[in-house]
């Protein structure tokens, strides 16, 4: 029995409805883009953190560290000696602070306050504080390979302290090495003398040690050293007297409360085994 065209159309429509809605046909461009995307996804290299660590001063995911409880800020002045004392007490042992100006050869709190007021010294805020001083050191040359050293000092309280070091002086703020040398020679060796610094002899050195003047207070000394010839000095051992180290124009600084150097004792010593 032959089927009519109408019955054939009905059969085709029934078949389409049983298979569900027709799906869109994937075109060639769509297949190409999909292939490229998959290729890029699976072929991309993983990030090389080792390479980053090699060239960066920090890791790709830096840790966060807690803030330190100490500070490196420096104090350069205090309104009064009492203000300095109040600042030092929680940072320095009481035994050390109480020995200042009492132990022979030491200076007192008033001396440190004057140093800070003059800008000769600064204190790093730590426990204990760190005293930083710029010092000029003059190695004075004499005849026969001799050099001049300060063997000891006599202080205003009648005590002595051993030194055995070349002429040394704390530097003032913004003072050049040459200016500090001339001032040190004038203040500690007497009247103005002709000073000739040996060319090329300048050396800069950093030393850290406990302060002999202020027990318990660590010190950082920035030493500016030169060799020099000074005219008119005695050829034998000698003693010089020093005037007041600081000025007190209006009488409010209490210089009499500070321990000061009254006399310097000088000796000529051999600089090497070739002394005549």
């Amino acid at each position: 029995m032959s089927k009519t065209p109408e019955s054939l159309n009905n059969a085709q429509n029934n078949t389409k409805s049983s298979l569900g809605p027709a799906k869109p046909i994937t075109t060639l461009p769509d297949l190409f883009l999909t292939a490229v995307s998959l290729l890029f996804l699976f072929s991309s290299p993983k990030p090389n953190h080792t390479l980053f660590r090699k060239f960066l001063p920090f890791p790709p995911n830096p840790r966060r560290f807690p803030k330190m409880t100490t500070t490196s800020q420096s104090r350069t002045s205090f309104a009064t000696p009492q203000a300095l004392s109040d600042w030092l007490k929680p940072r320095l042992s009481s035994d050390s602070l109480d020995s200042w100006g009492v132990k022979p050869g030491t200076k007192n709190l008033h001396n440190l306050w004057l140093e800070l007021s003059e800008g000769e010294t600064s204190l790093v805020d730590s426990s204990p504080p760190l005293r930083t001083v710029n010092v000029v050191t003059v190695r004075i040359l004499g005849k026969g390979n001799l050099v001049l050293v300060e063997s000891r000092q006599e202080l205003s309280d009648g005590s002595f302290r051993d030194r055995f070091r070349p002429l040394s002086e704390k530097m003032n703020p913004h003072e050049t090495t040459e200016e500090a040398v001339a001032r040190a020679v004038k203040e500690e060796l007497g009247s103005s003398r002709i000073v000739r610094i040996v060319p090329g002899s300048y050396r800069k050195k950093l030393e850290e040690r406990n302060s002999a003047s202020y027990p318990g207070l660590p010190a950082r000394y920035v030493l500016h050293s030169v060799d020099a010839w000074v005219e008119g000095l005695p050829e034998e051992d000698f003693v010089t007297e020093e005037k007041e180290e600081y000025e007190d124009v209006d009488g409010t600084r209490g210089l009499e409360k500070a321990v000061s150097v009254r006399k310097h004792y000088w000796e000529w010593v051999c600089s090497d085994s070739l002394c005549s």
Side-chain angles (χ1 to χ4, degrees):
M1 180 177 177
S2 62
K3 296 183 181 181
T4 64
E6 182 178 355
S7 63
L8 290 175
N9 290 335
N10 291 335
Q12 291 177 354
N13 290 336
N14 291 336
T15 303
K16 290 181 180 180
S17 60
S18 64
L19 295 176
K23 295 182 180 180
I25 299 175
T26 303
T27 61
L28 184 59
D30 291 336
L31 290 174
F32 177 75
L33 291 176
T34 302
V36 171
S37 299
L38 292 174
L39 179 63
F40 179 79
L41 177 63
F42 288 103
S43 62
S44 296
K46 295 182 179 180
N48 189 347
H49 294 297
T50 304
L51 184 62
F52 280 99
R53 285 195 294 268
K54 182 178 179 181
F55 292 100
L56 294 179
F58 47 84
N61 298 311
R63 293 175 55 191
R64 293 186 178 273
F65 293 93
K67 292 183 178 180
M68 301 296 291
T69 56
T70 57
T71 175
S72 60
Q73 293 181 349
S74 296
R75 292 294 301 267
T76 55
S77 64
F78 294 83
T80 63
Q82 184 60 49
L84 173 59
S85 177
D86 294 341
W87 186 83
L88 285 172
K89 284 179 178 178
R91 297 169 172 82
L92 194 66
S93 68
S94 57
D95 291 342
S96 297
L97 193 57
D98 292 341
S99 70
W100 294 4
V102 177
K103 183 180 179 180
T106 63
K107 295 183 178 181
N108 59 30
L109 182 74
H110 209 87
N111 286 98
L112 184 58
W113 178 73
L114 288 171
E115 290 181 13
L116 291 163
S117 300
E118 292 290 323
E120 298 174 336
T121 295
S122 64
L123 293 175
V124 175
D125 190 356
S126 57
S127 295
L130 177 65
R131 172 174 170 253
T132 303
V133 192
N134 279 274
V135 178
V136 65
T137 300
V138 189
R139 186 170 174 266
I140 298 176
L141 309 178
K143 297 179 180 179
N145 292 320
L146 295 175
V147 296
L148 187 67
V149 298
E150 184 181 23
S151 60
R152 61 177 181 165
Q153 294 176 341
E154 181 179 345
L155 306 181
S156 58
D157 60 2
S159 64
F160 290 83
R161 62 176 181 175
D162 294 330
R163 300 280 284 176
F164 207 80
R165 65 185 63 176
L167 169 63
S168 302
E169 181 72 12
K170 294 185 295 294
M171 297 180 68
N172 292 329
H174 312 299
E175 190 174 40
T176 66
T177 302
E178 292 79 4
E179 293 169 343
V181 168
R183 180 175 58 82
V185 170
K186 180 179 180 180
E187 291 180 357
E188 299 195 8
L189 292 178
S191 59
S192 299
R193 303 176 185 274
I194 297 177
V195 181
R196 292 177 295 156
I197 297 177
V198 177
S201 64
Y202 174 79
R203 297 290 184 273
K204 185 177 180 179
K205 182 180 179 182
L206 184 68
E207 288 187 2
E208 292 190 358
R209 59 179 184 268
N210 287 326
S211 173
S213 299
Y214 308 101
L217 187 66
R220 175 184 293 145
Y221 298 97
V222 184
L223 304 177
H224 305 264
S225 304
V226 297
D227 292 348
W229 293 286
V230 178
E231 294 186 5
L233 292 177
E235 295 184 3
E236 304 294 332
D237 298 346
F238 60 99
V239 179
T240 58
E241 296 185 2
E242 185 172 348
K243 298 180 181 180
E244 289 292 344
E245 187 175 1
Y246 303 105
E247 296 182 358
D248 192 4
V249 178
D250 54 6
T252 60
R253 308 185 72 186
L255 298 185
E256 71 281 354
K257 299 179 182 179
V259 178
S260 57
V261 178
R262 287 289 181 255
K263 292 182 179 180
H264 302 271
Y265 292 78
W266 304 97
E267 295 181 9
W268 293 101
V269 300
C270 293
S271 61
D272 51 43
S273 60
L274 300 178
C275 288
S276 57

